[in-house]
Amino acid sequence: MQLKSRQYFIIVLVLATAFLHLGAALDRQLFPDGPDPLFILNSLGYLGLLGAYFLPLVFLQRMHRIAWWALLVYVIVTIAAWVVIWVGLNVIQGGQPFFGHDSLYGVPAKIAEVALLFLLWKDKP
């Protein structure tokens, strides 16, 4: 399979998003009691779906359309969860400043995820 430039950008954006979530999970200021399992799982989910979408295995290539849908939905759910949990519960309801320490991970991840949605849509199988 010959990759196009947008597919390389998809790979970079998924890796960036996965590492931002992993970084947030391991941040002692955000999670003083230890790594957050949901952020770790989110990071692993991105990496797994990236593999399912691009690895040149026959089984995965037969499921390429399903992997595309799974990755697209995963990105949308991740963005929606951030809006509800961070923006809704913490910023609006809890009164925390939007551009606090949490935003060091959240805002760049959401920018990457929105760009990822656009590129995934352009790469629709």
Side-chain angles (χ1 to χ4, degrees), residues 13-72:
L13 289 171
V14 170
L15 289 174
T17 301
F19 287 121
L20 283 165
H21 283 92
L22 185 61
L26 301 174
D27 189 321
R28 287 289 196 184
Q29 189 174 346
L30 294 177
F31 302 106
D33 296 333
D36 183 68
L38 290 178
F39 277 84
I40 292 171
L41 289 172
N42 186 275
S43 179
L44 293 174
Y46 269 113
L47 295 175
L49 288 169
L50 179 66
Y53 193 58
F54 283 111
L55 285 176
L57 301 173
V58 175
F59 170 75
L60 294 176
Q61 290 308 305
R62 281 193 226 133
M63 303 297 226
H64 187 74
R65 188 173 194 79
I66 293 171
W68 180 86
W69 275 108
L71 184 54
L72 186 79

